[in-house]
Amino acid sequence: MAAVTGRRSRSILRWLVLVVVGIYLLLPLLAMVEFSTRGAGGTRSLEAWRGIGEDDDLLDSILTSVELAALTVVGMLVLLVPTMTWVHLRVPAVRRIVEFICLLPLTIPAIVLVVGIAPIYAWVTYLVGDSPLTLTFVYVVLVLPYAYRAIDGGLGAIDIVTLSEAARSLGASWPQVLVRVIIPNIRGALISASVVSIALVLGEFTIASLLNFDTVQVVINLLGKRNAGIAVAVSVAALLFAFVLLVVVAYLEPRRRSAPDDETPATAPAVQEARA
Amino acid sequence: MTSPNKVTNKVTNKVQTDSPAATSEPPALGGGVEVRLVDLRRTYGTVHALDGLSLDLQPGELVALLGPSGCGKTTALRALAGLEELDSGTVMVDGKDITRVSAHRRNMGMVFQAYSLFPNMTARDNVAYGLRLRKTAAAARRKRADELLELVGLGTHATRYPHQLSGGQQQRVALARALAIAPQVLLLDEPLSALDAKVRAQLRDEIRRVQREVGTTTLFVTHDQEEALAMADRVGVMSAGQLQQIAPPAELYERPRTAFVAEFVGLTNRVPGTVDDGRVRVLGTDLPLLEGSVTTGAATVLVRPEAVEVAPDDDGNGRVVAPTYLGSLGRVEIRMHDDSVVLAQVTSHQATELTPGTPVRVTVRPTPVLAIAP
């Protein structure tokens, strides 16, 4: 009887926590939706939402931010995946140093980063041009801490040394080991790293604003000063986009299939040999 | 399911009729090559993992390297695979020096101690992976993969992923994968150590059967003496980066050349004795000496428990301390009158009869023994 009462109390507590957190997270979103659908004289209107498609500056900035997100993801993956794989495989002694370097951007405030990077961007503008896509360079640095953590977790979850040695013994070159063995087995981690990077780039305001580039957040800020309804509608749309992205990621995550019923599957992680 | 023997015959017979120039066919299975490791040296800091190791493997032979952790056996195997750089020494395979050849160009199949199947591939894709790298046609590599899965008794598991297979099944797929590329040399790096005892014994026999059928020269590393003695044509015992002795299992067990080999392989009693005129007197019996023994004076004699005979005797030279019943046989620990302790192997019936405190007479069968300085 006491056990049943205890279970019921825990269940109520769980639901209570869920409801409180749900209200905390959903209430501002509902308020945003309510605000963005306000019409004249207390009516409901989708005028602000329709305005998104009619504002050329906004559409351009959305396109720019999406391109930036894509380039940042590519840059981050090209930079981190081979580097981290190599460090895990060949020079594990420098792992802490690489981790420290990758986590550094977390500790530097955006404004300090901009002050430091502004003179460099003068050269970037001079050499590459003044396209907002040049923000990719600083955004790759900005996403390093989050992407590093995700990829490091993925590499740590597989026996990368044994898998790569097995592939090598079968005749795989290092690029083949990376492309055909390592990457498919850390797919989940790479997707997570990419999603975090996309979310970060789409939400980044400070650096883009201070370096005078028109990304979606900068334009939303400007738009908010003349039409708050559209600005809020775009913000809700961005949140919905992130939500859809997370659902897609959850779908793409590799799933485990059921275990065989005739023999117990090997669940223990590979026993790392003590090199004799 | 097709019998594994039939499958192997089918594979090897088919291969022998193939044209060697046919690029769409996988390479031919079977046929061993000679392997020579010459004066291999590898140092980690102050530790000599390999200290002048030399070892020859005859074509089609299975050699086991046996030794305690840190003796250098895995380093030797990895050096042969190209996964370990050497400070000096030469690795020769089929008469060619491959010391500087990269691991992925050595054509060696390897089964690891850790589960090493690629988690993103099915058993069939794992087995076919090496052939895919060799640009073998899809149909041919699928056929070879299926044949090899049959060979290791997993023909019905081709579409399963590694996490859907047990540890023993994973290692069998790993063996099939290593054999699929028709390697010049098969390397087995403690492939059974992560498995439970029953699966281990089954897989041990299976690996030996497959290796015999395919005929690939094989180097097998283990710290389990039973595994080494049961599987290998010859067993090499290593210590501190050096090969102490290499010989067929029976010779290694019965005629050890050093105290380390005698004590590492099997159980051994250290009994005091006196060497004189090429023989040693132990427990009242004169025994012939093995090569490497001391030539004169007091000695410690290494006697196997199965060479020790025990009989109840009120006027004997010892008393039973602890009998151990082991099913098919038994062991009895006896304290001698000079306070030394001797272990004897007896029948299981004797083990139940010789209760603690029983006075016994201990003698030694006249088999050759190793006598070392006391």
Side-chain angles (χ1 to χ4, degrees), chain A residues 162-163 165-166 168-172 176 180 184-185 256-258 260 262-266 270-271 273 275-276, chain B residues 74-75 78 102 104 108 112-114 116-120 133-134 157 160-161 163-167 169 177 189:
Chain A
T162 306
L163 291 182
E165 285 183 350
R168 294 276 294 158
S169 72
L170 291 168
Q176 284 170 324
R180 290 189 176 169
N185 286 302
R256 296 229 126 194
R257 289 156 186 83
S258 59
D262 55 341
E263 271 192 77
T264 311
V271 179
E273 63 173 319
R275 298 259 160 89
Chain B
T74 296
T75 308
R78 290 171 60 79
S102 174
H104 75 290
M108 291 189 186
F112 295 80
Q113 177 186 10
S116 63
L117 296 185
F118 307 127
N120 57 313
L133 292 170
R134 284 160 178 73
H157 293 59
R160 289 197 177 178
Y161 284 84
H163 67 268
Q164 295 173 303
L165 300 169
S166 68
Q169 289 171 337
R177 183 179 68 178
D189 185 9

Side-chain angles (χ1 to χ4, degrees), chain B residues 108-126:
Chain B
M108 291 189 186
M110 190 160 172
V111 181
F112 295 80
Q113 177 186 10
Y115 301 132
S116 63
L117 296 185
F118 307 127
N120 57 313
M121 297 181 199
T122 61
R124 179 186 287 132
D125 290 343
N126 262 284

Side-chain angles (χ1 to χ4, degrees), chain A:
Chain A
M1 189 64 190
V4 173
T5 313
R7 269 204 303 275
R8 191 174 295 160
S9 324
R10 278 198 298 276
S11 176
I12 291 170
L13 188 68
R14 273 202 293 269
W15 277 106
L16 195 67
V17 169
L18 201 66
V19 168
V20 169
V21 172
I23 289 171
Y24 179 78
L25 293 174
L26 284 177
L27 208 59
L29 281 175
L30 291 174
M32 287 169 82
V33 172
E34 193 278 332
F35 182 78
S36 66
T37 54
R38 272 186 203 171
T43 57
R44 293 280 134 207
S45 162
L46 290 175
E47 198 180 330
W49 287 84
R50 276 195 291 271
I52 296 173
E54 291 162 3
D55 191 316
D56 289 341
D57 287 347
L58 182 61
L59 289 176
D60 285 348
S61 70
I62 290 172
L63 188 65
T64 301
S65 285
V66 169
E67 286 172 351
L68 267 173
L71 286 173
T72 304
V73 165
V74 171
M76 174 271 294
L77 291 176
V78 168
L79 180 70
L80 273 188
V81 176
T83 308
M84 290 180 66
T85 303
W86 195 250
V87 167
H88 269 77
L89 283 174
R90 309 291 285 195
V91 275
V94 303
R95 208 169 136 186
R96 290 282 165 219
I97 298 169
V98 173
E99 183 180 11
F100 175 75
I101 292 168
C102 287
L103 296 185
L104 261 186
L106 264 188
T107 63
I108 304 171
I111 184 71
V112 175
L113 205 62
V114 170
V115 170
I117 220 158
I120 296 170
Y121 258 80
W123 279 100
V124 170
T125 307
Y126 177 70
L127 293 170
V128 185
D130 60 354
S131 162
L133 298 182
T134 55
L135 275 173
T136 303
F137 299 118
V138 68
Y139 281 175
V140 167
V141 174
L142 211 62
V143 303
L144 277 182
Y146 312 97
Y148 176 88
R149 279 276 171 235
I151 296 172
D152 192 51
L155 288 172
I158 59 171
D159 186 353
I160 182 174
V161 175
T162 306
L163 291 182
S164 58
E165 285 183 350
R168 294 276 294 158
S169 72
L170 291 168
S173 61
W174 281 116
Q176 284 170 324
V177 170
L178 189 69
V179 173
R180 290 189 176 169
V181 175
I182 307 293
I183 288 177
N185 286 302
I186 58 167
R187 200 180 70 182
L190 298 184
I191 292 170
S192 298
S194 303
V195 168
V196 172
S197 302
I198 290 168
L200 208 107
V201 171
L202 293 184
E204 204 286 321
F205 170 76
T206 316
I207 294 172
S209 173
L210 293 173
L211 290 176
N212 294 320
F213 289 116
D214 288 341
T215 61
V216 68
Q217 292 299 332
V218 174
V219 173
I220 286 174
N221 179 47
L222 294 172
L223 205 59
K225 289 172 184 167
R226 66 168 198 271
N227 188 336
I230 295 180
V232 172
V234 174
S235 299
V236 173
L239 283 169
L240 286 175
F241 176 71
F243 177 74
V244 170
L245 209 60
L246 283 174
V247 171
V248 170
V249 167
Y251 181 75
L252 287 176
E253 285 269 357
R255 286 190 188 84
R256 296 229 126 194
R257 289 156 186 83
S258 59
D261 45 15
D262 55 341
E263 271 192 77
T264 311
T267 49
V271 179
Q272 279 298 327
E273 63 173 319
R275 298 259 160 89

Side-chain angles (χ1 to χ4, degrees), chain B residues 51 93-94 131 144-145 168 186 221 314 368:
Chain B
D51 191 9
V93 173
D94 200 18
L131 297 174
R144 165 68 67 86
L186 180 63
V221 158
D314 290 340

